[in-house]
């Protein structure tokens, strides 16, 4: 295996470990996927990885149910830096207006990754939210949404945001979607990162 192929495989392992260890609540191993100053950007949280671990643990203890599933990964490597893009779904379950619902959001993890002392780890994770939907867990049930509240959020994650706001989270209203200025700016930041610049 070439050096670059080995790097890409190590980065794919890193990305897969993030999802398995996070969803399993394996927090000690989950810490190892981040560099010390690593940051997580999500609809409901933006900040240091260590704080993300704290609030994720607290949410799980309250019954917050968020799971992830991964698809294909594309990795661009430039020396000791990389950008990883991974197709993913976020699945969250909660009570919406008295009806238990699942929201499934499809998108990509866009990761700013760096190798230090031979170890690849994440400096910044910025998801891209492409589309989502909400379904009652009971197919015979019906949930009535507040259309005005739903339409306040971007199309790529409006149902996810509706659910998260409904259980008390402050949702960021300008995350990158499939198209638009936010995702174009993210791609530019990724190119700068590969050229030696900062992640934001």
């Amino acid at each position: 295996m070439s050096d670059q192929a080995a790097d890409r495989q190590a980065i794919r392992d890193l990305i897969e470990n993030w999802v398995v260890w996070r969803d399993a609540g394996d927090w000690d191993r989950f810490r190892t996927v981040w560099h010390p100053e690593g940051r997580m950007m999500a609809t409901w949280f933006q900040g240091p990885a260590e704080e993300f671990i704290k609030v994720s643990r607290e949410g799980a203890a309250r019954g917050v149910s968020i799971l992830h599933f991964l698809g294909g990964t594309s990795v661009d490597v430039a020396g000791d830096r990389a950008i990883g893009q991974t197709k993913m779904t976020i699945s969250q379950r909660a009570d919406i207006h008295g009806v238990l619902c699942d929201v499934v959001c499809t998108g990509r993890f866009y990761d700013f990754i760096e190798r230090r002392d031979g170890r690849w780890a994440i400096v910044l994770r910025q998801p891209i939210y492409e589309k989502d939907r909400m379904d009652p867990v009971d197919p015979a049930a019906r949930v009535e949404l507040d259309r005005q509240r739903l339409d306040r959020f971007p199309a790529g994650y409006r149902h996810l945001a509706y659910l998260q706001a409904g259980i008390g989270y402050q949702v960021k209203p300008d995350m990158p979607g499939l198209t638009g200025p936010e995702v174009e700016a993210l791609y530019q930041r990724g190119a700068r990162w590969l050229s030696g610049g900062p992640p934001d």
Side-chain angles (χ1 to χ4, degrees):
M1 183 183 291
S2 70
D3 288 347
Q4 197 158 87
D7 288 338
R8 287 196 172 93
Q9 184 58 56
I11 290 166
R12 287 190 179 94
D13 289 347
L14 170 73
I15 291 165
E16 290 174 2
N17 287 339
W18 190 103
V19 161
V20 173
W21 292 342
R22 189 266 173 213
D23 288 359
D26 192 345
W27 303 114
D28 288 338
R29 287 206 286 179
F30 183 67
R31 276 188 185 89
T32 68
V33 305
W34 302 93
H35 282 304
E37 80 284 14
R39 287 181 296 128
M40 178 69 195
M41 301 292 289
T43 51
W44 62 277
F45 173 87
Q46 304 89 45
E50 193 60 39
E51 182 68 15
F52 178 65
I53 292 170
K54 177 177 179 289
V55 297
S56 295
R57 294 182 77 161
E58 291 171 351
R62 295 196 313 272
V64 174
S65 173
I66 304 175
L67 299 173
H68 304 81
F69 193 82
L70 297 184
T73 297
S74 174
V75 180
D76 293 306
V77 179
D80 289 328
R81 289 190 170 194
I83 290 289
Q85 294 191 65
T86 306
K87 291 295 296 181
M88 58 82 177
T89 60
I90 302 166
S91 176
Q92 185 163 359
R93 176 172 290 185
D95 186 283
I96 304 294
H97 307 314
V99 179
L100 189 63
C101 293
D102 281 334
V103 171
V104 176
C105 182
T106 300
R108 278 170 284 156
F109 285 136
Y110 193 96
D111 294 320
F112 295 71
I113 301 167
E114 190 167 28
R115 176 170 49 197
R116 300 176 189 169
D117 299 322
R119 181 178 76 93
W120 290 100
I122 298 170
V123 174
L124 173 66
R125 166 160 282 185
Q126 171 61 73
I128 298 168
Y129 300 88
E130 296 175 345
K131 70 172 186 176
D132 72 346
R133 59 180 291 157
M134 179 186 293
D135 299 288
V137 174
D138 177 356
R142 181 174 175 80
V143 60
E144 295 287 345
L145 303 183
D146 179 333
R147 177 57 59 177
Q148 187 173 4
R149 182 174 140 199
L150 183 69
D151 290 344
R152 289 205 316 260
F153 299 110
Y157 60 99
R158 63 177 37 145
H159 297 91
L160 185 63
Y162 191 102
L163 179 153
Q164 291 173 342
I167 61 174
Y169 287 108
Q170 189 74 32
V171 178
K172 197 172 190 298
D174 58 352
M175 294 298 242
L178 184 59
T179 60
E182 292 85 4
V183 76
E184 292 300 327
L186 179 61
Y187 295 152
Q188 291 171 13
R189 287 164 54 197
R192 287 197 301 270
W193 172 253
L194 292 176
S195 297
D200 47 19

